[in-house]
Amino acid sequence: MKSIKEKIYVIQPITRENNAHYRVLQEEAVALIESAGAVYAGTLYQNIREINAATFIGEGKLVELSERLSGLDDVTVLFNGELSPSQTLNISAMLQDRKVIDRTTLILDIFAKNAKSSEGKLQVELAQLRYLYPRLKGKGVALSRLGGGVGTRGPGETQLETDRRYIRGRLKYLENRLKELEKRRFLQSARRKKDEIKTIALIGYTNTGKSTLLRLLTGADAYAENRLFATLDPMARQMEIDGVPFLVIDTVGFLQDLPHHLIEAFHSTLESALQCDLALIVCDAHGEYDMQLKTTLQTLADLKCDIPHLLVMNKCDTVSDISALPFGSIPISAKENIGIQELKRQILHAFRDEYVFCELFVPYVKFTEYAKLCNMLKERSVCFVDDGKLVQATIPKRYAEFFTPYIK
Ligand SMILES: Nc1nc2c(ncn2[C@@H]2O[C@H](COP(=O)(O)OP(=O)(O)OP(=O)(O)O)[C@@H](O)[C@H]2O)c(=O)[nH]1
Ligand SMILES: [Mg+2]
């Protein structure tokens, strides 16, 4: 069956706070609409000096919008900000019962569409129900106006219309189930700590190329696409640099003004990434990287995450002058495989206190003795000579003393 794409018209408020970046917010709204699989139908900008408690923007402006949209019955209105339940319903009523959604609802809808793992789906459902639950109070039939964002994904109208007790029960179930999964993950990460594999997390703004970089570094079959929130479920894959094994974790992207409870919803899956040993903060060298970096650092701070990081400027194949990029950042192109050796060198450098890279000489008479130590190091290359073998080795520093007799 050929599906008809939903058309969405944007109301972009201009406030004192977003005065400098409302255009970027509007462009992002368009990208969000496209990422949700809907069609962008236009924008109405509105200066707001004082927020109207009932309708957010002034009623006069809503009348203007209503006239502008007359004859376009099937167009949904996206308010590019967060609306209270009553504001949503009032705006909808003033627009002849048109469907009105806010930015959070749209993002939740994209999340619902993109979650692949069972845990990701549970998290999205929990976030959707938590967002919708307070909006259910005594709204009766009007509920359907709040439901499910674009299309029919997520909890959807039928579920919303079922009784609130059921939703409360479902919330409890989801919370418990996620707690169990979190416990399991905690055990896995504890085991990893025991195995002592260092973890590297790819963190950053959405659509900057994190998944593309994961693919390049680890050969993983990660999904990368030119749309927002392509990745929701973290994916972890191993790679090795000069004999040092690393676990690389891809994560959900951040977005400016991403409501806090949405990030909170992903806290359990982000957890493993946030406990990493090193973060690669990925920005788009061709985009608004100052804002991307600021948003990322702010989000990490909000999540109380203070980890060492390297700043990676991706998509440098699209930039003519890389010398203008932030000082100390590492320019790469994950798509064109540019700058990756330097990135790997800097990753290893970040762990320089943890490993010794050296050449060993093992005489034949010591082979048995050496063999007992072998699981403590990584042999990068071996070359047999007359009286023994030469080994290029990577040794975790705490084991280095066992190898002192062999170090050349
Ligand atoms: N020109 C260019 N495009 C790139 C590069 N790296 C990634 N891209 C493109 O950027 C888009 C987004 O890439 P992803 O790897 O999905 O980005 P992401 O950061 O994982 O995005 P989310 O998961 O949505 O947060 C895709 O269309 C990629 O092909 C690069 O180095 N150069
Ligand atoms: Mg991704």
Side-chain angles (χ1 to χ4, degrees):
M1 196 176 72
K2 195 164 175 270
S3 67
I4 298 167
K5 287 193 168 185
E6 185 164 351
K7 296 188 201 72
I8 302 187
Y9 197 90
V10 180
I11 303 181
Q12 177 61 57
I14 305 173
T15 60
R16 213 176 310 144
E17 289 78 39
N18 76 13
N19 205 9
H21 64 279
Y22 71 90
R23 289 219 173 265
V24 180
L25 285 170
Q26 188 271 347
E27 282 164 18
E28 280 178 355
V30 177
L32 285 169
I33 289 167
E34 284 163 2
S35 300
V39 177
Y40 168 64
T43 299
L44 177 77
Y45 292 94
Q46 177 56 33
N47 273 303
I48 296 179
R49 236 169 289 137
E50 224 172 292
I51 292 168
N52 184 318
T55 52
F56 207 107
I57 64 173
E59 291 189 14
K61 203 69 186 178
L62 281 175
V63 172
E64 183 190 324
L65 179 63
S66 176
E67 280 163 11
R68 218 187 262 202
L69 294 179
S70 69
L72 300 169
D73 293 341
D74 56 345
V75 172
T76 297
V77 169
L78 164 70
F79 184 88
N80 199 19
E82 198 162 321
L83 292 175
S84 72
S86 60
Q87 283 168 340
T88 309
L89 292 166
N90 292 337
I91 295 176
S92 173
M94 289 207 51
L95 298 175
Q96 292 80 42
D97 268 350
R98 192 176 288 279
K99 183 166 163 191
V100 175
I101 57 174
D102 66 2
R103 188 173 158 97
T104 307
T105 314
L106 181 59
I107 292 172
L108 279 169
D109 187 76
I110 299 171
F111 280 12
K113 191 170 125 211
N114 295 354
K116 299 278 179 313
S117 73
S118 56
E119 185 168 13
K121 286 181 183 156
L122 292 176
Q123 288 181 128
V124 173
E125 189 183 347
L126 183 65
Q128 282 181 314
L129 290 180
R130 274 192 186 148
Y131 190 67
L132 293 170
Y133 185 73
R135 289 163 162 74
L136 297 183
K137 281 181 191 143
K139 293 301 175 199
V141 171
L143 271 184
S144 54
R145 298 268 138 238
L146 301 167
V150 182
T152 53
R153 287 180 291 264
E157 299 190 2
T158 45
Q159 212 171 63
L160 289 173
E161 281 152 11
T162 57
D163 102 55
R164 286 162 36 92
R165 200 148 27 133
Y166 166 79
I167 295 180
R168 272 206 303 274
R170 182 81 188 150
L171 280 170
K172 199 99 238 111
Y173 165 79
L174 291 169
E175 279 159 1
N176 288 338
R177 184 88 190 86
L178 282 165
K179 239 180 249 156
E180 273 167 36
L181 290 169
E182 204 168 328
K183 214 184 300 164
R184 199 179 309 161
R185 192 197 324 281
F186 178 76
L187 292 175
Q188 277 168 357
S189 92
R191 195 171 322 133
R192 206 153 59 216
K193 281 263 162 350
K194 215 172 111 252
D195 293 346
E196 296 175 65
I197 296 181
K198 299 288 172 201
T199 52
I200 299 174
L202 302 174
I203 291 179
Y205 213 70
T206 183
N207 211 36
T208 53
K210 299 178 294 299
S211 301
T212 310
L213 182 57
L214 179 82
R215 277 159 78 142
L216 183 69
L217 290 175
T218 68
D221 182 20
Y223 179 63
E225 210 198 311
N226 188 18
R227 61 193 176 94
L228 308 189
F229 303 119
T231 305
L232 269 196
D233 306 303
M235 178 186 258
R237 289 288 182 275
Q238 284 221 34
M239 71 161 173
E240 225 175 61
I241 309 176
D242 282 358
V244 181
F246 291 103
L247 195 70
V248 189
I249 307 176
D250 188 13
T251 57
V252 57
F254 300 151
L255 189 72
Q256 60 180 330
D257 291 349
L258 192 63
H260 232 248
H261 45 266
L262 289 195
I263 286 288
E264 279 292 309
F266 283 84
H267 200 259
S268 77
T269 43
L270 268 175
E271 191 91 27
S272 50
L274 298 180
Q275 288 173 357
C276 66
D277 300 292
L278 176 72
L280 301 186
I281 295 189
V282 184
C283 291
D284 180 348
H286 190 62
E288 306 258 343
Y289 53 76
D290 284 337
M291 177 277 290
Q292 295 171 355
L293 181 60
K294 195 168 141 233
T295 304
T296 305
L297 293 177
Q298 185 59 51
T299 311
L300 288 177
D302 292 347
L303 291 166
K304 304 202 173 16
C305 174
D306 180 23
I307 31 175
H309 68 259
L310 297 174
L311 179 55
V312 178
M313 286 293 175
N314 189 33
K315 309 196 187 182
C316 74
D317 54 301
T318 57
V319 175
S320 50
D321 179 16
I322 58 169
S323 67
L325 296 173
F327 181 74
S329 63
I330 309 163
I332 66 157
S333 167
K335 197 168 170 188
E336 304 296 333
N337 198 348
I338 300 168
I340 304 303
Q341 285 315 319
E342 176 58 17
L343 174 62
K344 288 183 172 174
R345 197 188 65 73
Q346 294 213 29
I347 291 173
L348 266 193
H349 187 71
F351 291 98
R352 64 191 172 283
D353 293 337
E354 313 260 351
Y355 296 94
V356 179
F357 302 91
C358 58
E359 189 176 39
L360 307 176
F361 174 68
V362 189
Y364 282 124
V365 288
K366 298 272 187 186
F367 264 29
T368 322
E369 205 174 300
Y370 173 81
K372 288 182 193 148
L373 303 174
C374 247
N375 60 354
M376 291 187 209
L377 58 51
K378 175 84 189 182
E379 293 183 335
R380 298 200 310 275
S381 72
V382 177
C383 170
F384 288 92
V385 289
D386 281 350
D387 45 354
K389 62 177 180 178
L390 289 168
V391 180
Q392 299 287 339
T394 301
I395 312 172
K397 219 164 216 173
R398 62 195 171 286
Y399 299 144
E401 61 178 293
F402 295 110
F403 295 92
T404 322
Y406 305 104
I407 291 180
K408 283 192 64 173

